Amino acid sequence: MKINEEARQSLEIDDVLELLAAGARSELGRAALVRIEPAADMKSLISRQNLLAAYLSFTESGGNFPWNDAVQIVSAPLDEARHTGLLLGEELLKFRVLLTLAMAVRECAQAAKEKFPALVWFYSRIREFSDELKQLSVLNSDGSLADGASPKLREIRAELDQKRREARAVGNGFLNGPSSGMLQERVLSMRSGRFAVLVKQAFINRFPGIVTDKSASGNSVYMEPHALVVFNNRIAALLEQQRQEEHRIFGELTKMLLDRRNAVNEAETALAQLDLFYCMDDLIHFKRWRIPELVKRSEFCFYDVRHPLLGDRAVPIDVSCGRDFRALVVTGPNTGGKTVALKTCALAVYLAWCGLPVPAGDGSCVGNISAIYADIGDEQSIEQSLSTFSSHLKRIVSMLENTDADSLALLDELGAGTDPQEGAALGIAVLEEFLRRKTLVLATTHHNPIKRFATTTPGVEAACVDFDMKTLSPTYHLLVGIPGQSNALAIAQRYGMPPDIVKRAEECLNSDELNVERLIGQLQEKRLAVEKLSRELAQEKQRLDAERKKLQQSRSETERKRDEMILKAERESQKVLDDAEAKARSLLKSLQGAARSAGHREMARQKMQIDKTRGTSAVRQNAIEVRRTPPASPRLAVGSPVKLSDSSVKGEIVAIDGKNAEVQAGAMRITVPLAKLTPTAAPPQARQSADEIAIVRRPEGVPSSIMVRGMLADEAIPLVERYLDQAMRAGYGEVAVIHGRGEGILRKLVHQLCARLPYVSEYRLGDHSEGGWGVTIVKFR
């Protein structure tokens, strides 16, 4: 995806990336985020998303990539070393830290790639550096060379230590000998790499030595005794030999790294990507950003999307374009949030095409958008002598020269800056041209003709930013499907404009324009009333559903207890009959003669009654068992036309896997339990061809998992209960609740919730590939 520089600046992309980069652990991750560019095509974008998803799955399952906070960027000093040919010890130490970490990451990725195949990317990007690390092991922790860096260096340093000991022994003779009275202090000092003593000013001409330096006070001088000259000369020579040998070793190490410059740079890139993923993991888990789904068409749909630069002040909005319409025209008063809505959408598209999560809710998706162009802002160009209107025209003409059916064009204040009638006419013509090209368009305007065009033209949808007429202030919510009022006169009156001037302005308004504004106001009021009623009905339905479930549960529990009591009584009566029969048989064995014959006749007669009683009891028990056993699922096979229970959706079974079936319902293929399907004679909806099906979507707005890790119990459990109800109704066979490991409190509460929900058939902890103890897999009946 491409984006021109004007659009990049208008959308404040660099500021957003800088904000995200603050969450990285190292300068590698920060640089990777600041320099990130959108993927070139959909294939590349899918690869980026798959790699991030594999990282998230790996960490959620308990995996953990190694890290070292001391790691730094090495590509810059390595490029400089191509010209200087030399890296010093502290610089080389950075390479050792980076390559050591890279090797540890490579080993971790190799171990994880079987269960998380996408992580092979890290393994393939990081080469083997064992030999390089072995050679860099000659560095001490401060970047200096160890004595064993080379045999020659060891010899030089050994002799250097010996000469220094000898020099100190001779020097100590002066400190304790006859000349000690001439000394300012009895200390052997090092001046410019040579041993010297501090001599009083009065004894300069009498002390056997050479003046090398003055003290800070000037009352004494540093003198090199004649007896130490030979030692100092040899020490100086050895120091120069040491410097040359260290320089040679540093040069060899530098050449070694330059020979593997590409491999080192790739290792740095892999670690930067790892730190970037760590930063994204935090956004997903703690700020509830989401990885959007990808679709093939040029469209987008974002739920609860918000602008990251606004922080907690951001008002989430739902916005889409490309699915049912190609252009969305947003209207409303100034400072109402129209431009922010445009920027938020475009920014979310940009972040998604960078392979990053977006600040939006579950179910958000983005499609194949090849470029973003923007005309936002009304600044004049003094240098080019361009007016506001001319600046707009210049950018729009550039868009028309470059956009295609997969482009996204942002038009802020369409038709502004000139005569309202001509500006509106030109704005409509521009929209019509973009519609002809099938370009995605997000536009804002104040012009009523453009509002009417958006309301009545196929392929165009009107929207408005909500405005509270009671407080005369914007709410920043986006209402799609209805144009908005400018409210200029009402706002003017709120800011102190005299009422007679406002009244005169109303009189000056064209009657048609005034009627349009009033009509829009009435539509907004009705829309808000309908939405309020819909919310109340939804809440009432939810309450009734909950009450119905409680009654069903209570009835089921009462029937269960009744059946258990009956079964218990029947079993006890059976036991009494069995015991009585056994005692009678025992008594018969003790009888003799006629008494025994009479006893057998009486027992035979009683046994007929007992068997009859047992038969009646067996019938009652069998009836209870039949009632408690769920009915067998109808016989279904691939190709069977079916209908989803509690839904009007019809389709055809295309595959069966155990207790679940894949059903093709129009363009949608969904997985549902067999128990939720009923045979139908009605023909399924006609399938779309493969070219028409962009991608298999999950149920609208309902994901296959929910993340509550890190939430408080009071916040998490209601979310999980509402989500499980939605997922069951959407037709999922099973879903995942990601609660994390922690202390196990959330896990226990989630399990308690699952145990009391009637539509949950079973639940279990995830296996290693599913997230382990940090995830609960929930299956529906």
Side-chain angles (χ1 to χ4, degrees):
M1 186 183 77
K2 299 182 299 183
I3 182 169
N4 62 4
E5 186 58 31
E6 287 184 345
R8 188 181 184 93
Q9 292 179 3
S10 298
L11 298 176
E12 303 170 278
I13 286 175
D14 292 336
D15 292 339
V16 173
L17 294 178
E18 288 282 358
L19 177 67
L20 301 186
R25 294 171 294 183
S26 70
E27 60 181 11
L28 272 72
R30 289 188 285 273
L33 268 168
V34 170
R35 294 197 302 258
I36 196 169
E37 294 291 337
D41 50 41
M42 183 62 76
K43 182 179 179 181
S44 176
L45 176 56
I46 291 172
S47 298
R48 292 191 188 187
Q49 275 203 358
N50 288 343
L51 184 57
L52 175 56
Y55 170 86
L56 295 173
S57 298
F58 173 70
T59 55
E60 187 60 38
S61 68
N64 188 28
F65 278 102
W67 190 254
N68 187 340
D69 289 333
V71 68
Q72 298 180 50
I73 293 175
V74 298
S75 53
L78 192 59
D79 285 340
E80 187 177 346
R82 295 173 63 190
H83 305 290
T84 63
L86 184 66
L87 291 166
L88 298 180
E90 291 184 357
E91 294 173 313
L92 289 168
L93 193 61
K94 296 178 183 178
F95 285 85
R96 189 174 75 181
V97 171
L98 183 135
L99 297 183
T100 300
L101 176 59
M103 288 294 291
V105 169
R106 184 175 192 264
E107 183 179 348
C108 182
Q110 183 180 22
K113 66 182 181 181
E114 183 175 348
K115 290 187 176 180
F116 305 94
L119 294 182
V120 73
W121 184 88
F122 288 102
Y123 179 79
S124 63
R125 288 299 185 281
I126 301 174
R127 305 291 191 270
E128 179 65 44
F129 291 107
S130 298
D131 291 341
E132 287 75 15
L133 287 174
K134 183 178 180 181
Q135 294 187 55
L136 288 171
S137 65
V138 299
L139 295 170
N140 294 319
S141 59
D142 60 354
S144 62
L145 287 171
D147 292 345
S150 74
K152 183 176 181 181
L153 184 62
R154 185 188 297 275
E155 292 175 4
I156 292 172
R157 288 184 175 177
E159 184 179 354
L160 186 59
D161 288 343
Q162 177 63 29
K163 293 302 179 184
R164 282 172 172 163
R165 285 194 296 271
E166 293 176 359
R168 287 193 182 94
V170 173
N172 288 334
F174 284 96
L175 301 179
N176 301 310
S179 303
S180 61
M182 303 180 186
L183 302 179
Q184 184 70 34
E185 55 184 28
R186 298 171 63 181
V187 176
L188 189 62
S189 304
M190 182 70 69
R191 308 299 290 181
S192 301
R194 303 177 74 87
F195 285 106
V197 292
L198 190 60
V199 180
K200 296 176 181 178
Q201 186 74 31
F203 297 102
I204 293 177
N205 296 326
R206 295 174 53 186
F207 188 84
I210 304 169
V211 175
T212 59
D213 199 2
K214 287 186 177 181
S215 67
S217 64
N219 296 326
S220 54
V221 294
Y222 287 99
M223 299 186 68
E224 180 180 343
H226 293 310
L228 290 178
V229 171
V230 175
F231 294 102
N232 280 335
N233 288 343
R234 182 54 184 164
I235 288 172
L238 289 171
L239 286 173
E240 177 59 22
Q241 292 178 28
Q242 176 182 252
R243 188 192 67 79
Q244 292 178 0
E245 179 62 12
E246 288 176 347
H247 191 281
R248 183 190 67 79
I249 295 171
F250 286 146
E252 289 183 352
L253 294 175
T254 302
K255 183 178 182 304
M256 170 195 72
L257 293 172
L258 286 173
D259 290 342
R260 300 209 62 192
R261 182 166 61 91
N262 291 336
V264 171
N265 287 338
E266 283 199 353
E268 180 183 275
T269 300
L271 294 182
Q273 191 72 22
L274 190 64
D275 198 19
L276 184 151
F277 284 171
Y278 174 87
C279 184
M280 295 304 102
D281 194 1
D282 274 357
L283 288 176
I284 291 171
H285 287 146
F286 299 110
K287 294 192 175 181
R288 300 185 188 179
W289 289 35
R290 293 293 178 261
I291 302 174
E293 297 178 52
L294 300 180
V295 295
K296 289 185 177 179
R297 288 188 57 188
S298 57
E299 63 178 76
F300 63 81
C301 178
F302 298 116
Y303 297 100
D304 291 333
V305 66
R306 51 211 181 272
H307 200 294
L309 293 181
L310 294 178
D312 296 335
R313 297 180 294 118
V315 176
I317 59 174
D318 295 344
V319 61
S320 65
C321 190
R323 187 173 301 174
D324 300 319
F325 48 85
R326 300 298 292 174
L328 180 67
V329 178
V330 184
T331 60
N334 290 326
T335 70
K338 302 189 302 297
T339 303
V340 172
L342 259 65
K343 289 184 176 183
T344 301
C345 294
L347 180 62
V349 170
Y350 181 88
L351 292 175
W353 265 84
C354 288
L356 305 176
V358 298
D362 291 324
S364 299
C365 67
V366 68
N368 188 19
I369 298 176
S370 61
I372 299 178
Y373 300 95
D375 172 30
I376 299 176
D378 59 357
E379 66 282 351
Q380 296 189 17
S381 174
I382 297 176
E383 184 178 335
Q384 299 183 35
S385 299
L386 295 177
S387 66
T388 298
F389 183 63
S390 301
S391 299
H392 281 301
L393 285 181
K394 182 181 178 183
R395 289 191 286 264
I396 292 174
V397 169
S398 177
M399 288 187 200
L400 292 171
E401 291 173 350
N402 294 284
T403 53
D404 57 22
D406 293 331
S407 301
L408 171 60
L410 308 175
L411 304 170
D412 192 28
E413 298 297 345
L414 184 60
T418 186
D419 176 78
Q421 291 184 342
E422 292 184 356
L426 184 60
I428 291 173
V430 169
L431 285 176
E432 287 178 334
E433 176 59 21
F434 280 126
L435 281 177
R436 187 186 67 79
R437 301 183 183 198
K438 298 183 179 180
T439 301
L440 284 176
V441 178
L442 292 178
T444 68
T445 187
H446 283 289
H447 294 310
N448 283 333
I450 298 179
K451 296 178 186 179
R452 289 195 293 268
F453 174 82
T455 306
T456 59
T457 304
V460 186
E461 184 62 273
C464 68
V465 286
D466 193 17
F467 189 81
D468 190 336
M469 291 301 298
K470 293 182 179 179
T471 61
L472 293 179
S473 59
T475 67
Y476 304 107
H477 288 102
L478 187 68
L479 305 177
V480 178
I482 188 170
Q485 294 176 279
S486 296
N487 295 304
L489 299 183
I491 294 174
Q493 189 168 5
R494 181 196 178 196
Y495 279 94
M497 185 68 69
D500 56 337
I501 295 179
V502 175
K503 183 177 180 181
R504 178 57 184 156
E506 289 178 348
E507 295 172 353
C508 292
L509 271 178
N510 181 288
S511 60
D512 290 339
E513 297 292 327
L514 188 59
N515 289 336
V516 168
E517 285 290 310
R518 288 173 178 171
L519 177 61
I520 290 174
Q522 292 171 2
L523 288 174
Q524 282 184 321
E525 291 177 2
K526 291 180 179 179
R527 169 73 178 266
L528 293 174
V530 169
E531 288 185 348
K532 180 181 179 182
L533 181 60
S534 297
R535 286 194 299 269
E536 291 175 352
L537 288 175
Q539 292 172 357
E540 182 65 16
K541 183 179 182 299
Q542 188 176 10
R543 187 188 67 78
L544 291 175
D545 287 343
E547 290 294 332
R548 184 174 64 253
K549 287 178 184 177
K550 288 181 181 179
L551 288 174
Q552 290 174 346
Q553 291 174 356
S554 177
R555 179 180 177 183
S556 298
E557 182 65 16
T558 301
E559 290 178 351
R560 183 187 65 79
K561 290 181 178 179
R562 181 198 63 192
D563 289 342
E564 286 182 353
M565 291 174 64
I566 293 174
L567 287 174
K568 182 179 179 182
E570 294 292 347
R571 294 189 187 106
E572 288 178 352
S573 65
Q574 288 278 14
K575 187 174 182 300
V576 170
L577 291 174
D578 290 342
D579 291 344
E581 187 175 1
K583 290 179 180 179
R585 291 185 183 279
S586 176
L587 182 60
L588 281 175
K589 290 179 181 180
S590 64
L591 297 176
Q592 299 293 329
R596 185 171 187 177
S597 297
H600 275 291
R601 287 194 299 271
E602 181 61 23
M603 183 172 179
R605 188 176 64 81
Q606 293 294 334
K607 190 173 185 307
M608 291 177 63
Q609 293 296 327
I610 291 174
D611 288 344
K612 184 177 180 180
T613 302
R614 281 178 172 164
T616 303
S617 176
V619 169
R620 283 198 294 265
Q621 291 184 57
N622 184 61
I624 291 173
E625 292 296 342
V626 168
R627 186 166 60 249
R628 297 175 67 181
T629 303
S633 300
R635 189 168 185 81
L636 300 172
V638 174
S640 298
V642 292
K643 176 179 176 294
L644 272 66
S645 302
D646 301 325
S647 170
S648 61
V649 177
K650 296 179 181 179
E652 180 182 299
I653 296 178
V654 294
I656 294 178
D657 182 13
K659 296 181 180 180
N660 295 325
E662 286 189 16
V663 177
Q664 186 76 46
M668 181 171 60
R669 179 177 293 190
I670 55 178
T671 300
V672 294
L674 284 169
K676 284 186 169 289
L677 298 177
T678 55
T680 177
Q685 299 173 0
R687 295 190 196 175
Q688 290 177 294
S689 66
D691 292 338
E692 293 175 317
I693 300 174
I695 195 166
V696 176
R697 289 196 184 93
R698 65 191 179 193
E700 186 74 20
V702 182
S704 60
S705 64
I706 183 172
M707 165 74 71
V708 294
R709 187 177 70 178
M711 295 186 190
L712 296 175
D714 291 343
E715 178 186 13
I717 298 306
L719 286 177
V720 173
E721 183 172 7
R722 183 163 60 253
Y723 165 76
L724 292 177
D725 181 70
Q726 293 172 346
M728 181 274 294
R729 294 174 181 274
Y732 279 109
E734 67 176 35
V735 294
V737 178
I738 305 170
H739 43 64
R741 296 190 176 190
E743 299 178 358
I745 297 174
L746 266 184
R747 179 176 67 246
K748 182 178 179 181
L749 292 174
V750 168
H751 287 188
Q752 291 175 355
L753 171 65
C754 292
R756 69 172 185 266
L757 293 178
Y759 49 83
V760 173
S761 62
E762 64 178 86
Y763 55 93
R764 60 176 175 82
L765 291 174
D767 58 29
H768 184 68
S769 63
E770 294 171 323
W773 290 10
V775 174
T776 292
I777 305 299
V778 182
K779 291 187 178 181
F780 300 118
R781 297 185 186 279

